[in-house]
């Protein structure tokens, strides 16, 4: 499907949740997974529109704003009034006509397990993008959203599809696995996905058709670069 856009458009979808269930632990979007694609895609000449289920200010995980998790992209974002405004005034996801977008990029962070993973509008968006061969880029915990996405034939989208996402070992290393609503790795394997991982925290991008996934925060820049390249076509 071609949108006919002269300037290709990317919808970047953030979580509106800032707390991990009843644990009281703060969460939100992982900062570099927002900042890296924002700059890589805008500098490649694409329009990036930020959206979230609630609209308005989308929370950013505090931990990801501190060393050693900061990056050149996060430092730049914090001093960029336009970028900060975009994150504070995200569009309401349900009000967006996603058929006017050429691709979607979903950064990770734990909050999305509580909202995006069961957001019917986003699940429909992913199904429609996949069947129309428009790129779906997801990094870190974002592939967890694929758990309940089905194709028109009723099969799970991930069945037989090669992908990656944040590992159980990575969640365990930062002592958060027990606080999560569900395990990305276990659920996607259970749906028949060909889950592939590398060493903890290593950059790892897996592309299978329109689905483009990254394992960990370090995967955000190469994933965004791969999406930018694909949109040139």
């Amino acid at each position: 499907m071609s949108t006919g856009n002269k300037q290709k458009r990317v919808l970047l979808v953030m979580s509106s949740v800032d707390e991990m269930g009843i644990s009281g632990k703060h969460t939100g979007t992982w900062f570099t997974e927002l900042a890296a694609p924002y700059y890589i895609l805008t500098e490649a000449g694409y329009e990036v529109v930020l959206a979230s289920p609630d609209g308005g200010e989308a929370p950013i995980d505090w931990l990801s704003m501190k060393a050693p998790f900061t990056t050149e992209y996060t430092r730049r974002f914090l001093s960029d009034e336009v970028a900060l405004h975009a994150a504070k005034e995200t569009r309401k996801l349900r009000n967006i006509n996603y058929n006017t977008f050429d691709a979607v990029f979903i950064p990770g962070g734990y909050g999305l397990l509580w909202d995006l993973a069961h957001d019917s509008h986003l699940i429909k968006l992913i199904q429609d993008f996949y069947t129309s061969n428009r790129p779906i880029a997801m990094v870190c915990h974002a592939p967890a959203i694929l758990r309940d996405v089905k194709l028109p034939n009723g099969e799970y989208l991930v069945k037989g599809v090669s992908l990656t996402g944040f590992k159980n070992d990575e969640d365990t290393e930062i002592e958060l696995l027990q606080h999560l609503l569900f395990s990305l790795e276990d659920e996607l394997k259970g749906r028949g996905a060909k889950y592939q991982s590398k060493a903890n925290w290593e950059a790892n991008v897996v592309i299978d058709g329109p689905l483009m996934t990254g394992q960990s925060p370090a995967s955000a820049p190469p994933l965004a670069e791969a999406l930018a390249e694909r949109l040139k076509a």
Side-chain angles (χ1 to χ4, degrees):
M1 172 185 165
S2 172
T3 57
N5 293 329
K6 285 186 179 177
Q7 182 188 31
K8 299 274 178 76
R9 307 179 79 209
V10 180
L11 184 62
L12 191 150
V13 183
M14 300 171 67
S15 171
S16 292
V17 172
D18 66 357
E19 199 170 67
M20 290 188 213
I22 59 170
S23 71
K25 289 183 177 290
H26 181 270
T27 188
T29 297
W30 198 258
F31 198 8
T32 198
E33 296 169 25
L34 160 67
Y38 177 84
Y39 287 112
I40 289 166
L41 293 166
T42 54
E43 285 173 359
Y46 308 123
E47 179 188 359
V48 177
V49 175
L50 274 53
S52 64
D54 293 349
E57 187 165 2
I60 292 171
D61 192 305
W62 295 336
L63 186 63
S64 69
M65 301 177 80
K66 300 174 184 174
F69 303 111
T70 52
T71 64
E72 58 179 299
Y73 297 109
T74 60
R75 287 187 283 274
R76 187 173 165 193
F77 201 98
L78 282 173
S79 59
D80 183 337
E81 285 185 19
V82 174
L84 287 171
H85 182 76
K88 286 182 178 174
E89 298 289 342
T90 65
R91 305 269 302 282
K92 195 162 187 171
L93 185 58
R94 285 182 179 272
N95 295 345
I96 288 175
N97 176 5
Y98 58 72
N99 289 318
T100 64
F101 286 84
D102 301 278
V104 62
F105 191 106
I106 309 177
Y110 288 99
L112 62 81
L113 296 176
W114 279 268
D115 63 350
L116 298 183
H118 54 83
D119 186 291
S120 59
H121 189 74
L122 182 59
I123 287 170
K124 181 72 165 63
L125 178 157
I126 292 168
Q127 183 193 78
D128 288 351
F129 271 56
Y130 193 82
T131 55
S132 59
N133 204 36
R134 281 179 285 170
I136 304 155
M138 315 173 91
V139 65
C140 211
H141 281 91
I145 299 162
L146 297 168
R147 177 183 69 163
D148 294 328
V149 181
K150 291 184 177 180
L151 296 175
N153 64 6
E155 296 272 15
Y156 286 109
L157 182 153
V158 300
K159 185 179 178 182
V161 172
S162 297
L163 52 74
T164 189
F166 210 59
K167 294 166 64 178
N168 286 346
D169 282 352
E170 289 169 315
D171 281 323
T172 301
E173 190 178 317
I174 51 178
E175 300 182 344
L176 288 175
L177 189 62
Q178 73 274 22
H179 295 297
L180 303 187
L181 207 54
F182 63 91
S183 154
L184 175 158
E185 183 180 336
D186 293 350
E187 290 288 334
L188 296 186
K189 283 179 178 176
R191 300 287 199 238
K194 295 178 180 174
Y195 177 83
Q196 302 172 10
S197 64
K198 291 187 177 178
N200 288 6
W201 309 99
E202 197 172 312
N204 179 28
V205 173
V206 177
I207 297 172
D208 190 341
L211 188 63
M212 313 173 73
T213 51
Q215 177 181 322
S216 57
S219 311
L223 179 63
E225 284 158 9
L227 177 58
E229 190 64 31
R230 176 169 290 201
L231 286 172
K232 283 182 184 175

